[in-house]
Amino acid sequence: MNKGVDVNALRQAPAPAVAEALKDIASLGSFFSIELGGPDDGWHPVEETYARGVADLITATAERYDTRELRIGASIVQLGHAARLWSPVLACTVVHGIVPDLTRLFRADDGPALRLPTVPDGWYAPEIPQLTDMLYEMVMTRQLEALAAGLRVKVAPGLLAGNAASALVEAARTVLAARANLREPLADLVGGLLSTGRLAGTGKIVGPDLGFRRRSCCLYYRAPSGVKCEDCSLAG
């Protein structure tokens, strides 16, 4: 999983514990929900989505927001996908001390929902010596960088990194709203991630409630019905 962490040397969290953690944090909202098990019909490996440049979702999103700028659709899709990755990973890690293995991730044929065909194992977060690096590789390197590499629409790398950072912080804010006692571990983990790899320099935390001001813009304001987001660099 991570060049700096030998996962084979880590104590695994068994599938039942991972399933319980994922089911619990799903109550925090749709972005925290990953379907578990069930038939494969209607789903495909997420790698196929990346290889196709997420073209189906980008086109559908651009049409939904009534814009001809496919880069706006691409940005919104990537931001949403980042949220669907960061939210369950961050919440399971901080709330339950378990990092779920997302290696065999599937996407719905008709939308952005994610699914794991079987309940995965995971790892106990407190026992991982380089937790930040591990989470970064799981979400950024193996998922979001693969998505970016397959895009057929030109989108600035800094914008995509800013989207990933924004999704991470918003996931943390949602967890904090439900579990105020987790402020310190959330802030520590998010702060570490925002100093790692492509996330470094994307923005900064402002205030005790994990407010965020990014250094890029997701382009949503350019859609006919769009507005500037709360964390946008263009916001007043």
Side-chain angles (χ1 to χ4, degrees), residues 86 131-137 140 161 164-166 168-169 186-205 212 215:
W86 278 126
L131 178 61
T132 299
D133 290 342
M134 185 176 184
L135 297 187
Y136 181 91
E137 180 163 339
M140 291 295 295
S166 180
L168 166 66
V169 177
L186 277 169
D188 288 346
L189 186 53
V190 170
L193 284 164
L194 290 177
S195 300
T196 302
R198 294 181 183 274
L199 295 178
T202 54
K204 62 180 180 179
I205 298 294
F212 186 61
R215 293 194 171 95

Side-chain angles (χ1 to χ4, degrees), residues 96-155:
H96 292 280
I98 288 176
V99 178
D101 186 354
L102 299 186
T103 301
R104 296 189 62 214
L105 199 61
F106 278 53
R107 199 210 97 192
D109 291 344
D110 60 356
L114 299 178
R115 167 180 167 264
L116 289 164
T118 58
V119 178
D121 292 325
W123 301 274
Y124 289 107
E127 301 180 20
I128 300 173
Q130 294 169 285
L131 178 61
T132 299
D133 290 342
M134 185 176 184
L135 297 187
Y136 181 91
E137 180 163 339
M138 175 181 290
V139 175
M140 291 295 295
T141 304
R142 292 183 174 267
Q143 302 291 341
L144 294 179
E145 289 183 18
L147 184 157
L151 285 176
R152 299 167 190 173
V153 180
K154 186 175 182 180
V155 184

Side-chain angles (χ1 to χ4, degrees), residues 10 19 22 30 32 34 67 75-76 79 88 124 135 140 158-159 175 190 205 208 216 228-229 236:
L10 299 175
L22 285 170
S30 60
F32 291 82
I34 294 180
T67 178
S75 175
I76 293 172
L79 176 57
Y124 289 107
L135 297 187
M140 291 295 295
L159 183 158
V175 175
V190 170
I205 298 294
S216 60
K228 293 174 184 175
C229 303

Side-chain angles (χ1 to χ4, degrees), residues 27-29 32 90-91 94-95 168-184 186-187 208-211:
S27 64
L28 293 174
F32 291 82
L90 184 71
V94 176
V95 176
L168 166 66
V169 177
E170 189 57 34
R173 283 166 56 86
T174 301
V175 175
L176 179 61
R179 307 289 181 95
N181 61 306
L182 296 177
R183 183 185 306 274
E184 184 174 347
L186 277 169
D209 292 327
L210 301 181

